[in-house]
Amino acid sequence: SQQGEEDPQALSIQEGENATMNCSYKTSINNLQWYRQNSGRGLVHLILIRSNEREKHSGRLRVTLDTSKKSSSLLITASRAADTASYFCATDASGAQKLVFGQGTRLTINP
Amino acid sequence: DTAVSQTPKYLVTQMGNDKSIKCEQNLGHDTMYWYKQDSKKFLKIMFSYNNKELIINETVPNRFSPKSPDKAHLNLHINSLELGDSAVYFCASSQGPFPEQFFGPGTRLTVL
């Protein structure tokens, strides 16, 4: 299975701290995406990193990709209470025409 | 303006019933998807349609039948509902070569 795995499954930090989540996958990919899901809501696309990129930034988000290790990390800097949500990585495998999601990291930001 | 909408938001029904979930997107996208999210938050693709043509059918029981009357709509009909069908079902859409997907708010299906 191409299913990604995320680590940790749950993370609780204080507001203002940085949060790091990791994702591993199994097959070759075209790109990797990160999505956020607030409780009871649909997923929202955060950032995409292509297989030939190693690092990407968007606001307080920093994503890295290591294709040799088949892994990615999402760093959220200066966390806020509003960042409390589940975060999912999704891979778009070469030729597969579909996204495969990890099981997500549940992030809680404590005020 | 809602980009991807689903109805209903909640659906509670008895085993054996038939139900439908509707999805509409006003983004002008050409590809639409149905996902199932289980109680452990695992999200798995069920179907995808591109310009009303079925592209992906992920070994979903044939009790599930998607229908795309036009490229802005993708409905999901479920026959003979079973307890294991209880989940949150998400519709999503994307456009052409751009892989980012836009998700609806989800439909929480509870089968009693």
Side-chain angles (χ1 to χ4, degrees), chain B residues 18-30:
Chain B
D18 303 338
K19 290 294 178 186
S20 292
I21 307 171
K22 295 185 176 182
C23 177
E24 176 181 1
Q25 54 94 4
N26 63 6
L27 298 167
H29 289 170
D30 58 10

Side-chain angles (χ1 to χ4, degrees), chain A:
Chain A
S1 162
Q2 188 195 334
Q3 180 185 339
E5 295 183 2
E6 302 199 40
D7 169 54
Q9 289 191 0
L11 178 62
S12 180
I13 61 174
Q14 295 299 120
E15 195 167 17
E17 292 179 341
N18 296 342
T20 299
M21 290 158 269
N22 302 297
C23 167
S24 61
Y25 57 91
K26 297 180 181 177
T27 63
S28 296
I29 60 171
N30 289 323
N31 61 69
L32 185 144
Q33 304 178 49
W34 286 90
Y35 287 80
R36 183 188 74 230
Q37 183 180 30
N38 291 88
S39 181
R41 302 285 186 92
L43 280 73
V44 174
H45 179 262
L46 295 176
I47 193 166
L48 177 149
I49 186 165
R50 301 195 185 280
S51 60
N52 61 355
E53 298 176 310
R54 291 297 166 257
E55 187 171 313
K56 202 160 183 183
H57 297 253
S58 177
R60 293 183 297 112
L61 305 180
R62 173 177 167 253
V63 170
T64 62
L65 179 65
D66 186 336
T67 52
S68 67
K69 295 181 180 178
K70 291 187 170 57
S71 68
S72 173
S73 67
L74 171 67
L75 168 68
I76 304 174
T77 60
S79 63
R80 305 167 181 169
D83 294 330
T84 294
S86 291
Y87 291 81
F88 294 85
C89 68
T91 51
D92 180 359
S94 304
Q97 291 186 294
K98 65 179 182 181
L99 287 183
V100 176
F101 284 82
Q103 223 165 330
T105 292
R106 189 173 66 254
L107 175 65
T108 303
I109 308 299
N110 302 303

Side-chain angles (χ1 to χ4, degrees), chain B residues 38-53:
Chain B
D38 64 23
S39 58
K40 295 184 178 179
K41 299 290 189 184
F42 177 42
L43 192 72
K44 186 171 181 182
I45 190 166
M46 300 173 69
F47 301 103
S48 79
Y49 271 73
N50 178 269
N51 283 318
K52 304 195 300 174
E53 181 183 346

